[in-house]
Amino acid sequence: MARVRLSVAERREELLRAAVEQIEARGVAAVRIADVASALGVSNALVLYHFSTKEKLVAAAFAYAAEDDLAHLGKLLGRRTTALRRLRSAVRWYAPTGQAKGWRLWIEGWAAALREPALLAVTRDLDKRWKAAIAEVIAEGVAAGEFRCPDPMGAALRLTALLDGLAVQMTSYAGAVSRARAQEWVDEALARELGLAEVPATQQQ
């Protein structure tokens, strides 16, 4: 059966999705242009036509994954509800106990970024935008009188540092931290940063 002819944008997105899947499965160092091409049944030349080098393909794949994550974060933080509910929803989604995909992908990305300037730019941008989005909603909650937080950006940095650290532990070392304990720590950290004795049950979702 003949392949459907895709537009340039559609083909590029198809290649990026395949690259993300191959990086998750094989790791940045091991993945090859040939792996991405084989997964889609296309030629190596087609992949190189769109990205020219493996390094550019990998950086573009991470940027693609980052935009997908940030789009979902934007939906969670843009809901018409309290800042506390939005924050809790976003943190629970992003935590390694939540619904976010691709922690193995991002751990690979952080490691590879130490040697790849283009990839470093992508991961750094994602980190800055994630923290800024969380800090903005914390500031909104403070302005609305929902909770207290003298340093929204500092709170966002500490929360994401905890989430990233737990993700490394839970992804790399199975059983190092239980899901229940990790979620407990995340909930406690959020309540502490917002000056709450606890997160009220009615605000949990």
Side-chain angles (χ1 to χ4, degrees), residues 3-16 40 42 46 50-51:
R3 287 178 59 84
V4 175
R5 187 175 182 82
L6 302 178
S7 68
V8 172
E10 290 171 333
R11 176 67 74 189
R12 181 180 175 85
E13 184 171 358
E14 180 186 58
L15 291 169
L16 291 173
L40 294 174
V42 300
L46 178 64
H50 285 274
F51 298 101

Side-chain angles (χ1 to χ4, degrees), residues 28-174:
V28 173
V31 73
R32 303 170 303 161
I33 291 289
D35 297 321
V36 177
S38 177
L40 294 174
V42 300
S43 67
N44 292 2
L46 178 64
V47 181
L48 290 169
Y49 170 79
H50 285 274
F51 298 101
S52 74
T53 66
K54 172 191 164 178
E55 289 72 26
K56 289 182 179 179
L57 173 61
V58 168
F62 275 95
Y64 175 78
E67 289 302 326
D68 191 53
D69 282 355
L70 287 165
H72 189 75
L73 176 65
K75 289 180 182 179
L76 294 175
L77 295 181
R79 292 164 53 200
R80 300 173 71 92
T81 186
T82 65
L84 182 56
R85 283 180 175 174
R86 285 181 283 152
L87 283 168
R88 187 179 181 86
S89 179
V91 168
R92 283 208 158 197
W93 167 74
Y94 185 78
T97 57
Q99 300 298 314
K101 305 293 185 186
W103 272 114
R104 186 175 298 277
L105 174 74
W106 287 110
I107 292 170
E108 281 280 347
W110 294 334
L114 296 174
R115 299 175 297 278
E116 296 288 344
L119 190 51
L120 176 61
V122 170
T123 57
R124 179 182 289 160
D125 181 63
L126 172 64
D127 187 65
K128 287 181 177 178
R129 290 166 67 185
W130 164 260
K131 287 181 173 64
I134 293 295
E136 181 179 354
V137 178
I138 292 175
E140 289 176 11
V142 171
E146 291 183 42
F147 43 73
R148 302 181 306 279
C149 181
D151 181 11
M153 183 55 75
L157 192 154
R158 288 186 292 272
L159 284 169
T160 54
L162 172 64
L163 295 172
D164 292 344
L166 285 173
V168 171
Q169 287 290 312
M170 297 176 72
T171 303
S172 303
Y173 310 114

